[in-house]
Amino acid sequence: MSRLERHAERHLVARIGWLRAAVLGANDGLVSTASLIVGVAAAQTGKTGILVAGVAGLVAGAMSMAAGEYVSVSSQSDTENADLARERAELATDPEAETRELAGIYRSRGVDEAVSLEVARQLMVHDALGAHARDELGISEHTTARPIQAALTSAATFSLGAILPLAVVLVSPGSLMVALVSGSALIGLALLGGLGAQAGGAGVGKAVMRVTFWGALAMAVTAGIGHLFGTVV
């Protein structure tokens, strides 16, 4: 076996399915739980009440993320399956037309007419549905919808993100709780943004600035609301 045959390239697109759910879940868990804690703490609530609110936010948020991802990705999966069923029926009723359609796709990409037709015929013999799914519908192994994977990933990463501000509450004195939770959340968001950008091959600096800005804004707004209602009450 040659070196090229042994070598399996690892493209970043293979990470799309789980990376999106993981980054979204962890960021949401950290931002929403930290914001909730900061808002409740700003209302001058005791540590026990803050912890109860934080844990409730973790559980509710994880379940909400899992349900939301499952429903959303299931809808995508249903659409993909419907398209595949239609394509399967067309392949069964008029394979020659489907071969010409596939050849036309390759011609539009710059392949010679004779070559494109030969490639289409060979692919139709090898895996007709797979060829049409990939080249006509844009459905591949790496991008296909996986509802269970997305739901579990979102719930798990949301919970992991939410643990940080809860842990800070446990060790923080009351007078410094808001500052410590906010600071640790921003550091955590910066790390998550950097890791997500690096894993996805994107620019780290821009990703870090984006997540920390919106995280800081969310905590500032909830802190203001908590302070306002705490003063009124």
Side-chain angles (χ1 to χ4, degrees):
M1 183 179 292
S2 68
R3 180 178 178 274
L4 288 175
E5 290 173 329
R6 291 195 305 268
H7 175 61
E9 291 187 57
R10 296 182 179 179
H11 295 287
L12 297 176
V13 70
R15 301 172 178 170
I16 287 176
W18 61 265
L19 181 60
R20 172 186 169 275
V23 172
L24 179 63
N27 282 349
D28 197 20
L30 183 50
V31 171
S32 61
T33 306
S35 298
L36 177 63
I37 288 171
V38 167
V40 175
Q44 301 178 355
T45 305
K47 180 176 283 191
T48 300
I50 294 171
L51 283 172
V52 170
V55 172
L58 185 157
V59 174
M63 295 301 294
S64 176
M65 287 290 292
E69 281 292 321
Y70 183 81
V71 170
S72 174
V73 180
S74 291
S75 298
Q76 178 186 342
S77 180
D78 291 342
T79 301
E80 290 178 353
N81 290 332
D83 281 339
L84 289 173
R86 177 180 177 182
E87 199 64 36
R88 190 179 290 109
E90 291 175 349
L91 287 167
T93 56
D94 196 350
E96 186 59 33
E98 292 301 301
T99 301
R100 293 194 300 271
E101 182 181 32
L102 197 59
I105 293 172
Y106 300 143
R107 283 198 303 275
S108 69
R109 297 175 183 174
V111 181
D112 177 80
E113 182 174 357
V115 174
S116 65
L117 186 58
E118 180 61 25
V119 170
R121 292 191 186 282
Q122 291 188 25
L123 288 176
M124 289 285 288
V125 172
H126 175 69
D127 182 8
L129 183 61
H132 281 270
R134 180 180 60 254
D135 295 322
E136 181 183 351
L137 304 177
I139 300 173
S140 70
E141 178 185 355
H142 297 316
T143 59
T144 189
R146 296 181 176 87
I148 296 294
Q149 181 191 62
L152 293 177
T153 300
S154 293
T157 53
F158 183 98
S159 300
L160 289 174
I163 286 173
L164 175 61
L166 285 171
V168 173
V169 170
L170 289 172
V171 300
S172 297
S175 59
L176 297 176
M177 186 180 297
V178 171
L180 290 175
V181 169
S182 300
S184 63
L186 291 176
I187 293 172
L189 285 171
L191 291 174
L192 284 173
L195 288 173
Q198 189 175 34
V204 173
K206 184 177 181 180
V208 169
M209 291 180 62
R210 183 168 55 228
V211 297
T212 52
F213 170 78
W214 288 107
L217 180 62
M219 286 184 284
V221 171
T222 53
I225 293 173
H227 180 73
L228 175 64
F229 281 90
T231 302
V232 171
V233 173

